[in-house]
């Protein structure tokens, strides 16, 4: 066991490990240490200042789920855009679950929208489930507000995948797009531009959203594919 792993085990919550394992199918139970996210997030902020941090970011693959979660949190704190992209590209092939994928949210991305968009297009076309999911997630996080362009909706709409975690992210993206950019997003539902399962899941998630009006929800219900 490494010194870092020993430190991580001091934060272990065995009951939470069981809970995490149930939410993250596929991983062996003994790969979950069981560190609650707020605890790990606090540790990550301090760990960025340690010399061991850089070494850890270049040690792949990791043994534990929690190490991967830490890796994602550390990447999110990297302040140099090019370094952050390089680290992200190195890490994504090792991401094997939705939780690690979704915890990555690099702060520096917000300052490099033009450069990031090119990377998003590449990630979204990946055959690797969580690289694709990450790309669509970053598009949802950074390009549905003041930086929105209608053409960006084509990026997730053009993705064709039978992978559950990709389909769920596309549905999440379009449900959010309906909440934030209704006029541009609704034609994708009206014209059935998404695969049937994703289409209906988008409507379900939009109807569950408090950001969608009652009138919009009623209209969406009429657009379900039966």
């Amino acid at each position: 066991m490494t010194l870092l792993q020993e430190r991580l085990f001091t934060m272990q919550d065995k009951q939470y490990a069981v809970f995490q394992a149930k939410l993250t199918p596929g991983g062996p139970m003994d790969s979950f240490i069981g560190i609650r996210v707020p605890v790990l997030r606090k540790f990550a902020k301090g760990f960025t200042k340690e010399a061991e941090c850089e070494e850890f970011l270049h040690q792949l693959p990791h043994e534990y789920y929690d190490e991967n979660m830490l890796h994602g949190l550390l990447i999110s704190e990297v302040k140099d855009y090019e370094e952050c992209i390089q680290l992200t590209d190195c890490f994504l092939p090792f991401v094997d679950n939705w939780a690690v994928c979704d915890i990555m949210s690099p702060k520096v991305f917000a300052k490099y929208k033009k450069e990031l968009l090119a990377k998003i297009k590449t990630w979204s076309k990946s055959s690797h489930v969580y690289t694709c999911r990450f790309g669509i997630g970053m598009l949802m996080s950074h390009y549905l507000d003041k930086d929105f362009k209608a053409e960006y909706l084509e990026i997730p709409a053009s993705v064709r995948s039978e992978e559950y975690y990709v389909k769920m992210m596309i549905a999440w993206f379009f449900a959010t797009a309906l909440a934030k950019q209704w006029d541009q997003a609704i034609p994708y539902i009206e014209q059935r531009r998404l695969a049937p399962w994703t289409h209906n899941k988008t409507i379900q998630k939009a109807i569950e959203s408090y950001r969608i009006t009652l009138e919009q929800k009623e209209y969406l219900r009429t657009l379900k594919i039966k």
Side-chain angles (χ1 to χ4, degrees), residues 50-101:
E50 298 183 27
E52 192 181 351
C53 178
E54 185 175 352
E55 183 182 345
F56 172 75
L57 286 171
H58 291 90
Q59 291 174 339
L60 288 165
H62 298 304
E63 184 177 355
Y64 293 100
Y65 162 90
D66 306 73
E67 288 180 291
N68 283 321
M69 289 289 278
L70 174 61
H71 199 124
L73 288 169
L74 293 172
I75 285 176
S76 300
E77 296 295 325
V78 175
K79 295 178 181 178
D80 180 84
Y81 176 75
E82 292 299 335
E83 181 187 0
C84 189
I85 287 292
Q86 185 178 9
L87 288 168
T88 300
D89 278 338
C90 287
F91 183 51
L92 281 172
F94 296 94
V95 176
D96 61 2
N97 65 79
W98 67 269
V100 172
C101 178

Side-chain angles (χ1 to χ4, degrees), residues 182 185-193 199 219 223:
W182 173 269
I186 191 61
Y188 285 80
I189 307 303
E190 293 171 329
Q191 298 166 17
R192 299 189 175 186
R193 293 285 309 282
H199 173 102
Y219 180 53
L223 299 177

Side-chain angles (χ1 to χ4, degrees), residues 16-65:
Y16 189 64
V18 174
F19 173 72
Q20 281 180 314
K22 289 179 180 177
L23 287 179
T24 316
M29 184 61 221
D30 60 4
S31 69
F32 293 85
I33 298 173
I35 307 172
R36 293 182 178 273
V37 173
V39 175
L40 192 59
R41 201 180 290 278
K42 182 179 179 181
F43 175 82
K45 285 189 178 294
F47 191 59
T48 58
K49 301 178 180 69
E50 298 183 27
E52 192 181 351
C53 178
E54 185 175 352
E55 183 182 345
F56 172 75
L57 286 171
H58 291 90
Q59 291 174 339
L60 288 165
H62 298 304
E63 184 177 355
Y64 293 100
Y65 162 90

Side-chain angles (χ1 to χ4, degrees), residues 46-165:
F47 191 59
T48 58
K49 301 178 180 69
E50 298 183 27
E52 192 181 351
C53 178
E54 185 175 352
E55 183 182 345
F56 172 75
L57 286 171
H58 291 90
Q59 291 174 339
L60 288 165
H62 298 304
E63 184 177 355
Y64 293 100
Y65 162 90
D66 306 73
E67 288 180 291
N68 283 321
M69 289 289 278
L70 174 61
H71 199 124
L73 288 169
L74 293 172
I75 285 176
S76 300
E77 296 295 325
V78 175
K79 295 178 181 178
D80 180 84
Y81 176 75
E82 292 299 335
E83 181 187 0
C84 189
I85 287 292
Q86 185 178 9
L87 288 168
T88 300
D89 278 338
C90 287
F91 183 51
L92 281 172
F94 296 94
V95 176
D96 61 2
N97 65 79
W98 67 269
V100 172
C101 178
D102 293 0
I103 204 154
M104 282 194 293
S105 184
K107 299 172 184 176
V108 72
F109 282 3
K111 299 177 182 178
Y112 294 86
K113 296 293 181 67
K114 184 178 179 181
E115 296 87 345
L116 178 63
L117 187 63
K119 289 300 301 183
I120 283 173
K121 290 177 179 177
T122 300
W123 290 327
S124 298
K125 291 176 183 176
S126 175
S127 60
H128 179 249
V129 173
Y130 297 103
T131 300
C132 179
R133 180 181 171 97
F134 179 73
I136 298 169
M138 289 300 97
L139 187 71
M140 180 175 69
S141 296
H142 294 285
Y143 297 89
L144 285 179
D145 295 298
K146 63 182 177 65
D147 294 292
F148 174 76
K149 289 183 181 179
E151 65 198 64
Y152 297 161
L153 298 174
E154 285 295 320
I155 298 172
S158 65
V159 173
R160 287 292 176 263
S161 175
E162 291 304 313
E163 296 287 351
Y164 174 80
Y165 289 105

